[in-house]
């Protein structure tokens, strides 16, 4: 599903009217009807209930006026608080406010419209009501600066009504900029947000997206072809995308373990064997046919004892501190020649110069698709200018924000978090890599500038080892679909988050650990891939 910015949304609305003959007032009526429908489906019957609608003077407020009228037609008692005057409104919004004013004159016992000029008036009008539902239609997608004055007061008043009264935001919670996940000032905390045509960036990226509550995406009459041609380079990952990928990479009835792909995991060091074991098991659970863990010589017996028996192990020359040494390079490259995919990084302990040299030379000399995580990324930071991925020899990087800041060197963690989209896109396109920037709503950036936003996952994944599990899942899926590294990364991130959600549903977010994610991976495949992921008897 494409994610739109404000300019793209305005252009789609314009073309819907000019090219397809759908008037703007019709789009507004369709938007209002979709909100009323969502209220009925999510919050239950509203007939006989008191509804309070906060409206701004723009088109979002016009939507609110239309919603108010439709709720009243459905039996609700409705009060509209317009910040400003009807005479301040224009276009289609003015049409709906004129209708609302006429309705207030004809049905004063069940419908009212108040034109708010002061904060005292705002508090007085709201204070005389006991609403069961609150509608936020103050700001739409055009907001670019913090709310101030009466609008800020109205936002704060809406938030004070929660949590006892459900709040429904129209298109986007007021106060959130549609083109960013950044919080720039006071913003409504909604329980339900109904956005139109396609999600906006502020609906999708945290921390702003945390204010949506449940997000409903409603079609209001704009053709799909306009969304596809919008120029958006941001996609929200949906379950059908993952189901299609799994279908395309499913094993044939006559396949063998070699057909399912061979993975070499270069990971672990003395005292950090768990990371290697988690990555290796995750690669196998993701469907790789064969997995070998190559680790520091003194760590190899521990890995062999702790890893699941299906994982093979190989010892590599090590430093005095028990980390893989540069002397291991030749053998590691030899091992990689017999595999389809290399995963490098979990638990390497990259502070020693010899280990850093090993990682850099291995990645530069690789002849197989490679996944880089954790200490491998630290060993390569800041990212060497000449080190590039390609379609024939892809590189998939999986940094968390701290590692991303080290890779780009000149950015702080705060800047990485604030400008995740821009930094991810620039890095992926410049270095021709697939970049997985981990965190809430993980981003997967492609070398062609496209970015995918992952919807799965929960705070329980913020525990040691879950990144190692993700590395293994990516490597395992990539081994089964060498032609599609981007698709493998998107599917892996989604399934990793879904497995975390399944584990959290069983154990809670506090108690779940990384191995619980691996244990839930099979159920994640079944949920995402459908019945064909099960054995059909």
């Amino acid at each position: 599903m494409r994610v739109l910015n404000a300019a793209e949304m305005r252009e789609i609305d314009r073309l819907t009217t000019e090219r397809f003959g759908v008037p703007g007032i019709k789009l507004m009526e369709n938007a209002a009807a979709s909100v009323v429908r969502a209220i009925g489906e999510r919050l239950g019957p509203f007939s006989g209930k008191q509804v309070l609608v906060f409206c701004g003077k723009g088109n979002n407020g016009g939507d609110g006026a239309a919603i108010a009228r439709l709720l009243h037609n459905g039996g609700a008692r409705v009060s509209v608080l317009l910040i400003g005057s009807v005479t301040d409104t224009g276009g289609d919004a003015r049409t709906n406010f004129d209708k609302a004013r006429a309705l207030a004159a004809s049905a004063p016992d069940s419908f009212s419209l108040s034109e708010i000029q002061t904060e005292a008036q705002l508090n007085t009008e709201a204070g005389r009501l006991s609403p069961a539902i609150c509608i936020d239609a103050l700001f739409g997608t055009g907001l670019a600066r913090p709310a101030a004055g009466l609008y800020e007061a109205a936002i704060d008043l809406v938030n004070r009504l929660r949590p006892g009264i459900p709040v429904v935001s129209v298109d986007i919670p007021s106060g959130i900029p549609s083109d960013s996940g950044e919080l720039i000032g006071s913003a409504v905390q909604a329980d339900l947000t109904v956005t139109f045509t396609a999600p906006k960036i502020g609906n999708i990226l945290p921390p702003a997206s945390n204010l949506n509550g449940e997000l409903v995406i409603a079609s209001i009459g704009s053709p799909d072809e306009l969304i596809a041609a919008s120029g958006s380079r941001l996609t929200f990952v949906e379950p059908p995308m993952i189901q299609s990928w799994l279908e395309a990479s499913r094993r044939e009835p006559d396949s063998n373990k070699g057909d399912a792909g061979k993975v070499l995991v270069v990971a672990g060091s003395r005292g950090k064997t768990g990371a290697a074991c988690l990555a290796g098991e995750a690669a196998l659970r993701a469907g790789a046919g064969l997995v070998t863990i190559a680790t520091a010589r003194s760590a190899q017996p521990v890995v062999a004892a702790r890893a699941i028996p299906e994982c093979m192990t190989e010892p590599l020359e090590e430093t005095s501190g028990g980390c893989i040494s540069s002397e291991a390079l030749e053998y590691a490259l030899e091992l990689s020649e017999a595999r389809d995919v290399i995963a490098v990084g979990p638990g390497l302990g990259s502070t020693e110069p010899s280990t850093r040299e090993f990682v850099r030379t291995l990645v530069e000399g690789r002849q197989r698709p490679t996944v880089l995580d954790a200490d491998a990324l630290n060993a390569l930071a800041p990212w060497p200018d000449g080190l590039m991925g390609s379609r024939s020899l892809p590189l998939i990087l999986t940094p968390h924000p701290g590692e991303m800041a080290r890779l780009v060197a000149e950015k702080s963690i705060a800047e990485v978090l604030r400008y995740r989209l821009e930094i991810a896109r620039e890095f992926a396109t410049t270095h021709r890599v697939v970049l997985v920037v981990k965190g809430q709503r993980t981003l997967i950036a492609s070398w062609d500038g496209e970015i995918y936003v992952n919807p799965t996952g929960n705070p329980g994944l913020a525990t040691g080892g879950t990144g190692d599990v993700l590395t293994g899942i990516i490597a395992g899926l990539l081994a089964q679909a060498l032609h599609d590294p981007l698709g493998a990364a998107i599917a892996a991130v989604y399934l990793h988050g879904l497995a975390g959600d399944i584990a959290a549903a069983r154990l809670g977010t506090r108690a779940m650990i990384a191995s619980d994610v691996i244990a839930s991976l099979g159920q994640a495949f079944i949920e995402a891939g459908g019945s064909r992921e099960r054995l059909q008897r």
Side-chain angles (χ1 to χ4, degrees):
M1 178 186 301
R2 286 295 185 183
V3 180
L4 304 176
N5 61 32
E8 291 161 349
M9 188 67 249
R10 285 193 299 270
E11 182 67 3
I12 287 174
D13 285 344
R14 183 184 71 81
L15 292 175
T16 299
T17 297
E18 293 183 3
R19 188 181 298 174
F20 293 90
V22 182
I25 191 66
K26 177 63 174 174
L27 293 175
M28 193 170 282
E29 289 292 326
N30 290 347
S34 68
V35 173
V36 172
R37 184 166 53 250
I39 290 172
E41 292 172 351
R42 267 70 177 185
L43 303 181
F46 50 79
S47 180
K49 293 182 178 179
Q50 175 71 57
V51 181
L52 178 57
V53 184
F54 289 82
C55 291
K57 295 177 289 188
N59 282 341
N60 193 254
D63 292 336
I67 292 164
R69 177 166 41 81
L70 293 179
L71 287 170
H72 180 266
N73 292 347
R77 293 176 289 110
V78 183
S79 295
V80 177
L81 302 185
L82 168 61
I83 306 301
S85 302
V86 172
T87 54
D88 296 331
T89 66
D92 297 327
R94 176 62 181 269
T95 299
N96 273 315
F97 279 116
D98 285 340
K99 290 180 180 180
R101 185 159 56 179
L103 181 58
S106 65
D109 293 336
S110 56
F111 192 95
S112 66
L113 170 62
S114 300
E115 298 171 287
I116 304 299
Q117 305 297 325
T118 67
E119 187 172 344
Q121 183 190 6
L122 174 69
N123 291 326
T124 298
E125 291 293 336
R128 65 182 178 81
L129 301 169
S130 297
I133 301 172
C134 178
I135 309 294
D136 157 38
L138 290 165
F139 289 118
T141 58
L143 185 68
R145 61 180 184 273
L150 270 179
Y151 283 98
E152 183 178 17
I155 289 172
D156 291 342
L157 178 54
V158 171
N159 286 336
R160 289 200 302 273
L161 292 173
R162 291 185 75 253
I165 301 169
V167 173
V168 180
S169 285
V170 179
D171 211 10
I172 193 166
S174 293
I176 292 177
S178 60
D179 291 358
S180 169
E182 182 185 3
L183 294 176
I184 59 174
S186 294
V188 168
Q189 171 66 70
D191 298 287
L192 171 66
T193 298
V194 183
T195 195
F196 309 129
T197 305
K200 317 309 180 292
I201 296 172
N203 292 135
I204 296 301
L205 291 186
S209 61
N210 295 331
L211 301 184
N212 285 308
E214 181 184 359
L215 181 65
V216 173
I217 301 159
S219 174
I220 62 172
S222 295
D224 290 343
E225 63 188 84
L226 292 182
I227 302 172
S230 65
S232 169
R233 303 170 78 192
L234 187 63
T235 296
F236 193 53
V237 177
E238 295 182 280
M241 293 175 60
I242 307 306
Q243 186 173 14
S244 296
W245 192 91
L246 291 173
E247 180 69 28
S249 62
R250 186 164 286 116
R251 297 181 184 183
E252 296 296 330
D254 61 347
S255 60
N256 59 53
K257 60 188 177 184
D259 297 330
K262 304 172 186 177
V263 174
L264 176 66
V265 177
V266 181
S269 56
R270 191 185 305 157
K272 294 183 178 180
T273 53
C277 296
L278 288 168
E281 182 178 355
L284 274 174
R285 293 289 185 188
L290 292 167
V291 173
T292 302
I293 302 173
T295 190
R297 183 172 296 279
S298 62
Q300 188 264 338
V302 181
V303 171
R306 292 183 60 185
I308 61 174
E310 293 85 352
C311 281
M312 297 174 286
T313 62
E314 290 284 350
L316 296 176
E317 293 303 318
E318 63 181 23
T319 66
S320 59
C323 297
I324 297 173
S325 138
S326 59
E327 296 177 2
L329 178 64
E330 183 177 349
Y331 187 49
L333 287 172
E334 180 183 329
L335 289 172
S336 71
E337 290 175 1
R339 275 76 184 178
D340 300 302
V341 173
I342 315 169
V344 188
L348 282 183
S350 64
T351 55
E352 296 194 40
S354 184
T355 305
R356 295 175 67 89
E357 181 183 350
F358 167 80
V359 171
R360 286 176 178 262
T361 312
L362 176 66
V363 175
E364 289 170 353
R366 76 196 185 283
Q367 294 299 315
R368 296 291 184 269
T370 302
V371 184
L372 299 177
D373 182 35
D375 290 332
L377 298 174
N378 293 327
L380 292 165
W383 188 261
D385 288 338
L387 185 55
M388 307 282 283
S390 66
R391 291 183 183 272
S392 59
L393 197 60
L395 274 175
I396 300 177
L397 281 59
T398 64
H400 59 55
E403 291 161 347
M404 190 72 236
R406 289 190 284 275
L407 288 174
V408 296
E410 74 276 8
K411 305 292 184 185
S412 66
I413 295 176
E415 288 174 303
V416 168
L417 290 170
R418 184 175 182 180
Y419 302 109
R420 283 202 308 160
L421 284 178
E422 297 84 354
I423 291 172
R425 179 174 284 123
E426 180 180 1
F427 190 96
T429 55
T430 298
H431 302 292
R432 306 291 293 170
V433 300
V434 175
L435 182 68
V436 177
V437 184
K438 295 182 290 195
Q440 185 187 13
R441 293 283 165 89
T442 291
L443 303 181
I444 306 97
S446 173
W447 52 71
D448 62 2
E450 293 283 343
I451 296 182
Y452 299 80
V453 183
N454 181 64
T456 60
N458 62 80
L461 290 169
T463 186
T466 56
D468 307 320
V469 172
L470 176 59
T471 297
I473 297 172
I474 294 173
L477 293 186
L478 179 57
Q480 299 165 73
L482 294 171
H483 64 286
D484 187 14
L486 176 62
I490 294 169
V493 171
Y494 183 96
L495 291 161
H496 175 262
L498 180 57
D501 292 341
I502 293 168
R506 181 169 57 90
L507 300 167
T509 58
R510 193 184 303 272
M512 62 179 280
I513 58 176
S515 56
D516 296 321
V517 178
I518 298 177
S520 301
L521 190 55
Q523 185 61 38
F525 276 110
I526 292 168
E527 286 194 16
S531 61
R532 290 200 60 189
E533 286 294 321
R534 294 183 182 272
L535 177 62
Q536 302 298 305
R537 294 186 181 276

